[in-house]
Coordinates of all heavy atoms in Angstrom, one line a residue:
E12 N -81.9 -59.9 -28.5 CA -81.4 -58.6 -28.7 C -81.5 -58.2 -30.2 O -81.9 -57.1 -30.5 CB -79.9 -58.5 -28.3 CG -79.5 -57.0 -28.3 CD -78.1 -56.9 -27.6 OE1 -77.9 -57.4 -26.5 OE2 -77.2 -56.3 -28.3
E13 N -81.2 -59.1 -31.1 CA -81.4 -58.8 -32.5 C -82.8 -58.6 -32.9 O -83.1 -57.7 -33.7 CB -80.8 -60.0 -33.4 CG -79.3 -60.1 -33.4 CD -78.9 -61.2 -34.3 OE1 -79.5 -61.5 -35.3 OE2 -77.8 -61.8 -34.0
E14 N -83.7 -59.3 -32.3 CA -85.1 -59.1 -32.5 C -85.6 -57.7 -32.1 O -86.3 -57.0 -32.8 CB -86.0 -60.2 -31.8 CG -87.4 -60.1 -32.2 CD -88.3 -61.2 -31.5 OE1 -87.7 -62.3 -31.2 OE2 -89.4 -60.9 -31.2
A15 N -85.1 -57.3 -30.9 CA -85.4 -56.0 -30.4 C -84.9 -54.9 -31.4 O -85.6 -53.9 -31.6 CB -84.8 -55.8 -29.0
E16 N -83.7 -55.1 -31.9 CA -83.1 -54.1 -32.8 C -83.9 -54.1 -34.1 O -84.2 -53.0 -34.7 CB -81.7 -54.4 -33.2 CG -80.7 -54.0 -32.1 CD -80.7 -52.5 -31.8 OE1 -80.7 -51.7 -32.8 OE2 -80.7 -52.2 -30.6
G17 N -84.4 -55.2 -34.6 CA -85.2 -55.3 -35.8 C -86.6 -54.6 -35.6 O -87.0 -53.9 -36.4
Q18 N -87.1 -54.7 -34.4 CA -88.4 -54.1 -34.1 C -88.2 -52.6 -34.0 O -89.0 -51.8 -34.4 CB -89.0 -54.6 -32.8 CG -89.5 -56.0 -32.9 CD -90.0 -56.6 -31.5 OE1 -89.5 -56.1 -30.5 NE2 -90.8 -57.6 -31.6
K19 N -87.1 -52.2 -33.4 CA -86.8 -50.7 -33.3 C -86.6 -50.1 -34.7 O -87.1 -49.0 -35.0 CB -85.5 -50.6 -32.5 CG -85.2 -49.2 -32.0 CD -84.0 -49.2 -31.1 CE -83.8 -48.0 -30.4 NZ -82.6 -48.0 -29.5
T20 N -85.9 -50.8 -35.6 CA -85.7 -50.4 -36.9 C -87.0 -50.2 -37.7 O -87.3 -49.3 -38.4 CB -84.7 -51.3 -37.7 OG1 -83.5 -51.4 -37.0 CG2 -84.5 -50.9 -39.1
E21 N -87.9 -51.2 -37.5 CA -89.2 -51.2 -38.1 C -90.0 -50.0 -37.6 O -90.7 -49.3 -38.4 CB -89.9 -52.5 -37.8 CG -91.3 -52.6 -38.5 CD -92.1 -53.8 -38.2 OE1 -91.5 -54.8 -37.6 OE2 -93.3 -53.9 -38.5
L22 N -89.9 -49.8 -36.3 CA -90.7 -48.6 -35.7 C -90.2 -47.3 -36.3 O -91.0 -46.5 -36.6 CB -90.5 -48.6 -34.2 CG -91.1 -47.5 -33.4 CD1 -92.7 -47.5 -33.6 CD2 -90.8 -47.5 -31.9
Y23 N -88.9 -47.1 -36.4 CA -88.3 -45.9 -36.9 C -88.8 -45.7 -38.4 O -89.1 -44.6 -38.8 CB -86.8 -45.9 -36.8 CG -86.3 -45.5 -35.5 CD1 -85.8 -46.4 -34.6 CD2 -86.3 -44.1 -35.1 CE1 -85.3 -46.0 -33.3 CE2 -85.8 -43.7 -33.9 CZ -85.4 -44.7 -33.0 OH -84.9 -44.3 -31.8
A24 N -88.8 -46.8 -39.1 CA -89.3 -46.8 -40.5 C -90.7 -46.3 -40.6 O -91.1 -45.5 -41.5 CB -89.1 -48.1 -41.2
K25 N -91.6 -46.8 -39.7 CA -93.0 -46.5 -39.7 C -93.1 -45.0 -39.3 O -94.0 -44.3 -39.8 CB -93.8 -47.4 -38.7 CG -93.7 -48.8 -39.0 CD -94.5 -49.2 -40.2 CE -94.5 -50.7 -40.4 NZ -95.1 -51.2 -41.6
I26 N -92.4 -44.6 -38.3 CA -92.4 -43.2 -37.8 C -92.1 -42.2 -39.0 O -92.7 -41.2 -39.2 CB -91.5 -42.9 -36.6 CG1 -92.1 -43.6 -35.4 CG2 -91.3 -41.4 -36.4 CD1 -91.2 -43.6 -34.2
N27 N -91.1 -42.6 -39.8 CA -90.7 -41.8 -40.9 C -91.7 -41.7 -42.0 O -91.6 -40.8 -42.9 CB -89.3 -42.3 -41.5 CG -88.2 -42.0 -40.5 OD1 -88.2 -41.0 -39.8 ND2 -87.2 -42.8 -40.5
K28 N -92.7 -42.5 -42.0 CA -93.8 -42.4 -43.0 C -94.9 -41.5 -42.5 O -95.8 -41.1 -43.3 CB -94.4 -43.8 -43.2 CG -93.4 -44.7 -44.0 CD -94.0 -46.1 -44.2 CE -93.0 -46.9 -44.9 NZ -93.5 -48.3 -45.2
L29 N -94.9 -41.1 -41.2 CA -95.9 -40.2 -40.7 C -95.6 -38.7 -41.1 O -94.5 -38.4 -41.5 CB -95.9 -40.2 -39.1 CG -96.2 -41.5 -38.5 CD1 -96.0 -41.4 -37.0 CD2 -97.6 -41.9 -38.8
P30 N -96.6 -37.9 -41.0 CA -96.4 -36.4 -41.4 C -95.3 -35.9 -40.5 O -95.1 -36.3 -39.4 CB -97.7 -35.8 -41.0 CG -98.7 -36.9 -41.1 CD -98.0 -38.1 -40.7
E31 N -94.5 -34.9 -41.1 CA -93.3 -34.4 -40.4 C -93.6 -33.9 -39.0 O -92.8 -34.1 -38.1 CB -92.7 -33.3 -41.3 CG -91.4 -32.9 -40.8 CD -90.7 -31.9 -41.8 OE1 -90.9 -32.0 -43.0 OE2 -90.0 -31.0 -41.3
R32 N -94.7 -33.2 -38.9 CA -95.0 -32.6 -37.6 C -95.2 -33.7 -36.5 O -94.8 -33.6 -35.4 CB -96.3 -31.7 -37.7 CG -96.4 -30.8 -36.6 CD -97.5 -29.8 -37.0 NE -97.4 -28.7 -36.0 CZ -98.1 -27.6 -36.1 NH1 -99.0 -27.4 -37.1 NH2 -98.0 -26.7 -35.2
W33 N -95.9 -34.8 -36.9 CA -96.1 -35.9 -36.0 C -94.8 -36.5 -35.7 O -94.5 -36.9 -34.5 CB -97.0 -37.0 -36.7 CG -98.4 -36.5 -36.9 CD1 -98.9 -35.3 -36.9 CD2 -99.5 -37.4 -37.2 NE1 -100.3 -35.3 -37.1 CE2 -100.6 -36.5 -37.3 CE3 -99.6 -38.7 -37.4 CZ2 -101.9 -37.1 -37.6 CZ3 -100.9 -39.2 -37.7 CH2 -102.0 -38.4 -37.8
Q34 N -93.9 -36.7 -36.6 CA -92.5 -37.2 -36.4 C -91.8 -36.4 -35.3 O -91.2 -36.9 -34.4 CB -91.7 -37.2 -37.7 CG -92.1 -38.2 -38.7 CD -91.3 -38.1 -39.9 OE1 -90.1 -38.0 -39.8 NE2 -91.9 -38.2 -41.1
E35 N -91.9 -35.1 -35.5 CA -91.2 -34.2 -34.6 C -91.7 -34.4 -33.1 O -90.9 -34.5 -32.2 CB -91.4 -32.7 -34.9 CG -90.6 -32.2 -36.1 CD -90.9 -30.7 -36.3 OE1 -90.4 -29.9 -35.5 OE2 -91.6 -30.4 -37.2
V36 N -93.0 -34.5 -33.0 CA -93.6 -34.6 -31.6 C -93.1 -36.0 -31.0 O -92.6 -36.0 -29.9 CB -95.1 -34.6 -31.7 CG1 -95.7 -35.1 -30.3 CG2 -95.6 -33.2 -32.0
L37 N -93.2 -37.0 -31.8 CA -92.7 -38.3 -31.3 C -91.3 -38.4 -30.9 O -90.9 -38.9 -29.9 CB -93.1 -39.5 -32.3 CG -94.5 -39.8 -32.5 CD1 -94.7 -40.8 -33.5 CD2 -95.2 -40.1 -31.2
K38 N -90.5 -37.7 -31.8 CA -89.0 -37.7 -31.5 C -88.7 -36.9 -30.2 O -87.9 -37.3 -29.4 CB -88.3 -37.2 -32.7 CG -88.2 -38.2 -33.8 CD -87.6 -37.7 -35.1 CE -87.7 -38.7 -36.2 NZ -87.3 -38.2 -37.5
Y39 N -89.3 -35.7 -30.1 CA -89.1 -34.9 -28.9 C -89.6 -35.7 -27.6 O -89.0 -35.6 -26.6 CB -89.8 -33.6 -29.0 CG -89.1 -32.6 -29.9 CD1 -89.9 -31.9 -30.8 CD2 -87.8 -32.3 -29.7 CE1 -89.3 -30.9 -31.6 CE2 -87.2 -31.3 -30.6 CZ -87.9 -30.6 -31.5 OH -87.4 -29.7 -32.3
R40 N -90.8 -36.3 -27.7 CA -91.4 -36.9 -26.6 C -90.8 -38.2 -26.1 O -90.8 -38.5 -25.0 CB -92.9 -37.0 -26.8 CG -93.7 -35.7 -27.0 CD -93.9 -35.1 -25.6 NE -94.9 -35.9 -24.9 CZ -94.8 -36.2 -23.6 NH1 -93.8 -35.7 -22.9 NH2 -95.7 -36.9 -23.0
F41 N -90.4 -39.0 -27.1 CA -90.0 -40.4 -26.8 C -88.7 -40.9 -27.3 O -88.1 -41.9 -26.7 CB -91.1 -41.4 -27.3 CG -92.5 -41.1 -26.9 CD1 -93.4 -40.6 -27.8 CD2 -92.8 -41.3 -25.5 CE1 -94.7 -40.4 -27.3 CE2 -94.1 -41.0 -25.1 CZ -95.1 -40.5 -26.0
L42 N -88.1 -40.3 -28.3 CA -87.0 -40.9 -29.0 C -85.6 -40.2 -28.7 O -84.6 -40.6 -29.3 CB -87.2 -41.0 -30.5 CG -88.5 -41.7 -30.9 CD1 -88.7 -41.7 -32.4 CD2 -88.5 -43.2 -30.4
Q43 N -85.6 -39.3 -27.8 CA -84.4 -38.6 -27.4 C -83.8 -39.3 -26.1 O -84.6 -40.0 -25.4 CB -84.6 -37.2 -27.1 CG -85.2 -36.4 -28.2 CD -85.2 -34.9 -28.0 OE1 -84.5 -34.2 -28.7 NE2 -85.8 -34.5 -26.9
E44 N -82.6 -39.1 -25.9 CA -82.0 -39.6 -24.7 C -82.7 -39.1 -23.4 O -82.9 -39.8 -22.5 CB -80.5 -39.3 -24.6 CG -79.7 -40.1 -23.6 CD -78.2 -39.9 -23.7 OE1 -77.7 -40.0 -24.8 OE2 -77.6 -39.6 -22.7
E45 N -83.1 -37.8 -23.5 CA -83.8 -37.2 -22.4 C -85.1 -36.6 -23.0 O -85.1 -35.5 -23.5 CB -83.0 -36.1 -21.7 CG -81.9 -36.6 -20.9 CD -81.2 -35.6 -20.1 OE1 -81.9 -34.6 -19.6 OE2 -80.0 -35.7 -20.0
P46 N -86.2 -37.4 -23.1 CA -87.5 -37.0 -23.6 C -88.0 -35.7 -23.0 O -87.8 -35.5 -21.8 CB -88.4 -38.1 -23.4 CG -87.5 -39.3 -23.2 CD -86.3 -38.8 -22.5
L47 N -88.6 -34.9 -23.8 CA -89.2 -33.6 -23.3 C -90.6 -33.8 -22.9 O -91.3 -34.6 -23.4 CB -89.1 -32.6 -24.4 CG -87.7 -32.3 -24.9 CD1 -87.7 -31.3 -26.1 CD2 -86.7 -31.8 -23.8
G48 N -91.1 -32.9 -22.0 CA -92.5 -32.8 -21.6 C -93.3 -32.1 -22.6 O -92.8 -31.5 -23.6
L49 N -94.6 -32.2 -22.5 CA -95.6 -31.5 -23.4 C -95.3 -30.0 -23.6 O -95.3 -29.5 -24.7 CB -97.0 -31.8 -23.0 CG -97.6 -33.2 -23.1 CD1 -98.9 -33.3 -22.4 CD2 -97.6 -33.6 -24.5
K50 N -95.1 -29.4 -22.4 CA -94.9 -27.9 -22.5 C -93.6 -27.5 -23.2 O -93.6 -26.6 -23.9 CB -95.0 -27.3 -21.0 CG -96.3 -27.4 -20.5 CD -96.4 -26.7 -19.1 CE -97.9 -26.8 -18.6 NZ -98.1 -26.0 -17.4
E51 N -92.6 -28.3 -22.9 CA -91.3 -28.1 -23.6 C -91.4 -28.2 -25.1 O -90.9 -27.4 -25.9 CB -90.2 -29.0 -23.1 CG -89.9 -28.8 -21.6 CD -89.0 -29.9 -21.0 OE1 -89.5 -31.0 -21.1 OE2 -87.9 -29.6 -20.5
V52 N -92.1 -29.3 -25.5 CA -92.3 -29.5 -27.0 C -93.1 -28.4 -27.6 O -92.8 -27.9 -28.6 CB -92.9 -30.9 -27.2 CG1 -93.2 -31.1 -28.7 CG2 -92.0 -32.0 -26.7
A53 N -94.2 -28.0 -26.8 CA -95.1 -26.9 -27.3 C -94.3 -25.6 -27.5 O -94.5 -25.0 -28.6 CB -96.2 -26.7 -26.3
E54 N -93.4 -25.3 -26.6 CA -92.6 -24.1 -26.7 C -91.7 -24.2 -28.0 O -91.6 -23.2 -28.7 CB -91.7 -23.9 -25.5 CG -92.5 -23.4 -24.3 CD -91.7 -23.1 -23.1 OE1 -90.4 -22.9 -23.2 OE2 -92.2 -23.2 -22.0
I55 N -91.0 -25.3 -28.1 CA -90.1 -25.5 -29.3 C -90.9 -25.4 -30.6 O -90.4 -24.7 -31.5 CB -89.4 -26.9 -29.2 CG1 -88.4 -26.9 -28.0 CG2 -88.7 -27.2 -30.5 CD1 -87.8 -28.2 -27.7
M56 N -92.0 -26.0 -30.7 CA -92.8 -26.0 -31.9 C -93.7 -24.8 -32.1 O -94.3 -24.7 -33.2 CB -93.6 -27.3 -32.0 CG -92.7 -28.6 -32.0 SD -93.6 -30.1 -32.2 CE -94.3 -30.0 -33.8
G57 N -93.9 -24.0 -31.1 CA -94.7 -22.8 -31.2 C -96.2 -23.2 -31.3 O -97.0 -22.5 -32.0
I58 N -96.6 -24.2 -30.6 CA -98.0 -24.6 -30.5 C -98.4 -24.9 -29.1 O -97.5 -24.9 -28.2 CB -98.3 -25.9 -31.4 CG1 -97.4 -27.0 -30.9 CG2 -98.1 -25.6 -32.9 CD1 -97.7 -28.3 -31.7
S59 N -99.7 -25.0 -28.8 CA -100.1 -25.3 -27.4 C -99.8 -26.7 -27.0 O -99.6 -27.6 -27.8 CB -101.6 -25.0 -27.3 OG -102.3 -26.1 -27.9
D60 N -99.7 -26.9 -25.6 CA -99.4 -28.2 -25.1 C -100.6 -29.1 -25.4 O -100.4 -30.3 -25.6 CB -99.0 -28.2 -23.6 CG -100.0 -27.5 -22.7 OD1 -100.9 -26.7 -23.2 OD2 -100.0 -27.8 -21.5
K61 N -101.8 -28.6 -25.5 CA -102.9 -29.4 -25.8 C -102.8 -30.0 -27.3 O -103.2 -31.1 -27.6 CB -104.2 -28.7 -25.7 CG -104.6 -28.4 -24.2 CD -105.9 -27.7 -24.1 CE -106.2 -27.4 -22.7 NZ -107.5 -26.7 -22.5
R62 N -102.3 -29.1 -28.2 CA -102.1 -29.5 -29.6 C -101.0 -30.6 -29.6 O -101.1 -31.5 -30.4 CB -101.7 -28.3 -30.4 CG -101.6 -28.6 -31.9 CD -102.9 -29.1 -32.5 NE -102.7 -29.5 -33.9 CZ -103.1 -30.6 -34.4 NH1 -103.8 -31.5 -33.7 NH2 -102.8 -30.9 -35.7
V63 N -99.9 -30.4 -28.9 CA -98.9 -31.4 -28.8 C -99.5 -32.8 -28.4 O -99.2 -33.8 -29.0 CB -97.7 -31.0 -27.9 CG1 -96.7 -32.2 -27.7 CG2 -97.0 -29.8 -28.4
H64 N -100.3 -32.8 -27.4 CA -100.9 -34.0 -26.9 C -101.8 -34.6 -27.9 O -101.8 -35.8 -28.1 CB -101.7 -33.7 -25.6 CG -102.3 -34.9 -25.0 ND1 -103.6 -35.3 -25.2 CD2 -101.7 -35.9 -24.2 CE1 -103.8 -36.4 -24.6 NE2 -102.7 -36.8 -23.9
Q65 N -102.6 -33.8 -28.7 CA -103.4 -34.3 -29.7 C -102.6 -34.9 -30.8 O -103.0 -36.0 -31.3 CB -104.3 -33.2 -30.2 CG -105.3 -33.6 -31.3 CD -106.1 -32.4 -31.8 OE1 -105.8 -31.3 -31.6 NE2 -107.2 -32.7 -32.5
I66 N -101.6 -34.3 -31.3 CA -100.7 -34.8 -32.3 C -100.1 -36.1 -31.9 O -100.1 -37.1 -32.6 CB -99.6 -33.8 -32.7 CG1 -100.2 -32.6 -33.4 CG2 -98.6 -34.5 -33.6 CD1 -99.3 -31.4 -33.6
Q67 N -99.6 -36.2 -30.6 CA -99.0 -37.4 -30.1 C -100.0 -38.5 -30.1 O -99.7 -39.6 -30.5 CB -98.6 -37.1 -28.6 CG -98.0 -38.3 -27.9 CD -97.7 -37.9 -26.5 OE1 -97.0 -37.0 -26.3 NE2 -98.1 -38.7 -25.5
K68 N -101.2 -38.2 -29.6 CA -102.3 -39.3 -29.6 C -102.6 -39.8 -31.0 O -102.7 -41.0 -31.2 CB -103.5 -38.7 -28.9 CG -104.6 -39.7 -28.7 CD -105.8 -39.1 -27.9 CE -106.7 -38.4 -28.9 NZ -108.0 -37.9 -28.3
D69 N -102.7 -38.9 -32.0 CA -103.0 -39.2 -33.3 C -101.9 -40.1 -34.0 O -102.1 -41.1 -34.7 CB -103.3 -38.0 -34.2 CG -104.6 -37.3 -33.8 OD1 -105.4 -37.9 -33.1 OD2 -104.8 -36.1 -34.3
A70 N -100.7 -39.7 -33.7 CA -99.5 -40.4 -34.2 C -99.4 -41.8 -33.7 O -99.2 -42.7 -34.4 CB -98.2 -39.6 -33.9
I71 N -99.6 -41.9 -32.4 CA -99.6 -43.2 -31.8 C -100.7 -44.1 -32.3 O -100.4 -45.3 -32.6 CB -99.6 -43.1 -30.2 CG1 -98.3 -42.5 -29.7 CG2 -99.8 -44.5 -29.6 CD1 -98.3 -42.2 -28.3
K72 N -101.8 -43.6 -32.5 CA -103.0 -44.3 -33.0 C -102.6 -44.8 -34.4 O -102.8 -46.0 -34.8 CB -104.2 -43.5 -33.0 CG -105.4 -44.2 -33.6 CD -106.7 -43.3 -33.5 CE -107.9 -44.1 -34.1 NZ -109.1 -43.2 -34.1
R73 N -102.1 -43.9 -35.3 CA -101.7 -44.3 -36.6 C -100.6 -45.4 -36.6 O -100.7 -46.4 -37.4 CB -101.2 -43.1 -37.4 CG -100.7 -43.4 -38.8 CD -101.8 -43.5 -39.9 NE -102.7 -42.4 -39.9 CZ -102.5 -41.3 -40.6 NH1 -101.4 -41.2 -41.4 NH2 -103.4 -40.4 -40.7
L74 N -99.6 -45.3 -35.8 CA -98.6 -46.3 -35.7 C -99.2 -47.6 -35.3 O -98.8 -48.7 -35.9 CB -97.5 -45.9 -34.7 CG -96.5 -44.8 -35.1 CD1 -95.6 -44.5 -33.9 CD2 -95.7 -45.3 -36.3
Q75 N -100.1 -47.7 -34.4 CA -100.8 -48.9 -34.0 C -101.5 -49.5 -35.1 O -101.6 -50.7 -35.3 CB -101.7 -48.7 -32.8 CG -101.0 -48.4 -31.5 CD -101.9 -48.0 -30.4 OE1 -103.0 -47.4 -30.6 NE2 -101.5 -48.2 -29.1
E76 N -102.1 -48.7 -36.0 CA -102.9 -49.2 -37.1 C -102.0 -49.8 -38.2 O -102.3 -50.8 -38.8 CB -103.7 -48.1 -37.8 CG -104.8 -47.6 -36.9 CD -105.5 -46.3 -37.4 OE1 -105.0 -45.7 -38.4 OE2 -106.5 -45.9 -36.8
I77 N -100.8 -49.3 -38.3 CA -99.9 -49.7 -39.4 C -98.8 -50.7 -39.0 O -98.1 -51.3 -39.8 CB -99.2 -48.6 -40.2 CG1 -98.3 -47.8 -39.2 CG2 -100.2 -47.7 -40.8 CD1 -97.5 -46.6 -39.9
M78 N -98.8 -51.1 -37.7 CA -97.8 -52.0 -37.2 C -98.4 -53.5 -37.4 O -99.5 -53.7 -37.4 CB -97.5 -51.8 -35.7 CG -96.7 -50.6 -35.5 SD -95.1 -50.5 -36.3 CE -94.1 -51.4 -35.1

């Protein structure tokens, strides 16, 4: 359990190094108690759902590179 908490802390630290918009998308999509769908995030951020998907994909790729 401690190891899982350490990994979670490390993940949050890495996310906080990403551009703010990328952070927002990841937080809305994955880090809330009730994650939002692409369309919901798009409405909140005032961008298309395709753009949300692209940002999400880029953010995850960057996280994989720096982990």
Side-chain angles (χ1 to χ4, degrees):
E12 190 172 307
E13 284 183 33
E14 185 178 331
E16 282 300 314
Q18 290 175 339
K19 194 174 191 179
T20 301
E21 182 182 350
L22 177 61
Y23 279 102
K25 301 288 187 190
I26 289 171
N27 288 330
K28 292 180 181 179
L29 296 174
E31 190 173 327
R32 198 166 195 177
W33 292 16
Q34 291 178 42
E35 282 184 77
V36 168
L37 292 179
K38 287 175 184 174
Y39 284 132
R40 292 283 292 138
F41 304 111
L42 304 176
Q43 299 189 121
E44 195 170 310
E45 291 187 33
L47 302 176
L49 290 173
K50 289 184 180 189
E51 294 168 305
V52 175
E54 285 181 27
I55 291 169
M56 296 182 69
I58 58 179
S59 72
D60 55 339
K61 288 182 182 182
R62 182 68 184 128
V63 171
H64 184 262
Q65 183 181 17
I66 291 170
Q67 175 183 310
K68 188 175 87 173
D69 292 344
I71 291 171
K72 182 178 178 184
R73 176 79 55 86
L74 283 175
Q75 288 173 334
E76 290 170 357
I77 61 177
M78 290 299 275

